[in-house]
Amino acid sequence: MRFSKMHGLGNDYVVIDGLNQNIAEQSLPRLAREMSDRHFGVGSDGIIVVLPSKVAHFRMRIFNPDGSEAEMCGNGMRIFARYVHDHRLTPRRELEIETLAGIIRPKLQLRAGKVSAVVVDMGAPRLERKEIPMKGKGGRPLRERLRVLGERFEATCVSMGNPHCVIFVDDVDKFPVERFGPVIERHDLFPRRTNVEFVQVLAPTELRMRVWERGAGETLACGTGGAASLVAAHLTGRAGRKVTLHLRGGDLKVWWNPDDDHVFITGPAEEVFTGEWPGNRD
């Protein structure tokens, strides 16, 4: 089975062409666990599979290293868009991709015929508790009080097609993400678990973020998390509608359009190498 190793700001994935290869979709959770292993596999934050769609140009399935399936991934979507372009699966520069979070629309930016960046229309944020989903009475969970490991936090929760819990901190570089991230991910408030963003406000147009991803642990970047962080920062009066988001893997441009309520992220995607995975590893 042929694959490509790609990344978006260090958020790395194994990409598999399910159009021109026979892929047993029931085996994808196991395949994600095996290929994502950084010691015995390829090493990645998960796998992305390119599949045919009846309602869009392509369908994307994305699996975390623990084998769980994610609804969507912003960095993964940029990777997906560049993959189908560079591997000549489509001549289109504006795409519609079917995901578990709905139809997502990435747009390729080209320079001298090569992809320089991908803009992803992430759609409108979902702000009600039941949409995230999150336990508790109805309403928007803004500045929600959260007690974890004896510490009190203020959390604002958002869905970008997948759940996010955004917590603002004074110094994100020194914050113990590895201590609090896994506990918040599995907090009783979140029936489907949650991604957790720890965000430092540098200016109304500039944020710094670290992320603990559901099913993957801390990663170098997260596109949906970046979108959720801007939404949370704006709703709590910490930022405007357009920011530069500094991640451990690089910078994202994030914009929340007031006209249609959609959030847009812009950033790079790169291919690292290609390879072949044996059909039987037993």
Side-chain angles (χ1 to χ4, degrees), residues 25-194:
E25 292 193 45
Q26 68 271 18
S27 70
L28 292 177
R30 175 183 57 80
L31 193 63
R33 292 191 294 270
E34 292 179 354
M35 297 189 80
S36 298
D37 191 291
R38 295 191 184 274
H39 298 288
F40 299 103
V42 179
S44 68
D45 292 326
I47 67 170
I48 292 170
V49 188
V50 181
L51 295 164
S53 172
K54 295 181 179 179
V55 297
H57 299 129
F58 299 98
R59 178 164 63 103
M60 180 176 87
R61 294 190 72 183
I62 181 167
F63 291 83
N64 297 313
D66 67 355
S68 60
E69 186 169 8
E71 297 90 345
M72 225 291 283
C73 171
N75 290 321
M77 182 56 65
R78 295 202 316 279
I79 288 169
F80 189 105
R82 176 149 196 181
Y83 179 90
V84 297
H85 173 273
D86 287 0
H87 289 258
R88 300 181 179 180
L89 298 179
T90 179
R92 299 176 184 272
R93 291 175 57 181
E94 297 185 26
L95 299 166
E96 294 186 349
I97 311 299
E98 178 188 357
T99 75
L100 291 179
I103 304 295
I104 305 297
R105 295 173 174 84
K107 181 179 180 179
L108 298 162
Q109 295 182 341
L110 303 183
R111 184 178 300 162
K114 295 184 178 181
V115 178
S116 59
V118 182
V119 182
V120 181
D121 180 349
M122 308 288 285
R126 302 164 193 176
L127 304 175
E128 298 297 321
R129 298 182 83 96
K130 64 181 181 180
E131 296 176 316
I132 293 170
M134 188 175 176
K135 294 179 181 178
K137 295 182 179 180
R140 296 182 174 185
L142 305 179
R143 301 182 184 273
E144 183 101 358
R145 291 182 180 180
L146 193 64
R147 187 176 180 86
V148 180
L149 300 176
E151 299 288 338
R152 295 182 183 275
F153 297 103
E154 180 185 280
T156 295
C157 300
V158 178
S159 172
M160 292 303 308
N162 56 353
H164 294 271
C165 176
V166 182
I167 294 173
F168 293 94
V169 299
D170 294 331
D171 189 340
V172 73
D173 289 331
K174 294 181 179 179
F175 187 84
V177 169
E178 68 285 347
R179 181 182 178 208
F180 291 100
V183 180
I184 298 173
E185 174 194 349
R186 294 172 171 81
H187 196 284
D188 289 343
L189 280 172
F190 305 102
R192 297 182 188 169
R193 298 188 291 168
T194 188

Side-chain angles (χ1 to χ4, degrees), residues 189-201:
L189 280 172
F190 305 102
R192 297 182 188 169
R193 298 188 291 168
T194 188
N195 301 283
V196 192
E197 287 74 37
F198 301 94
V199 181
Q200 178 182 352
V201 179

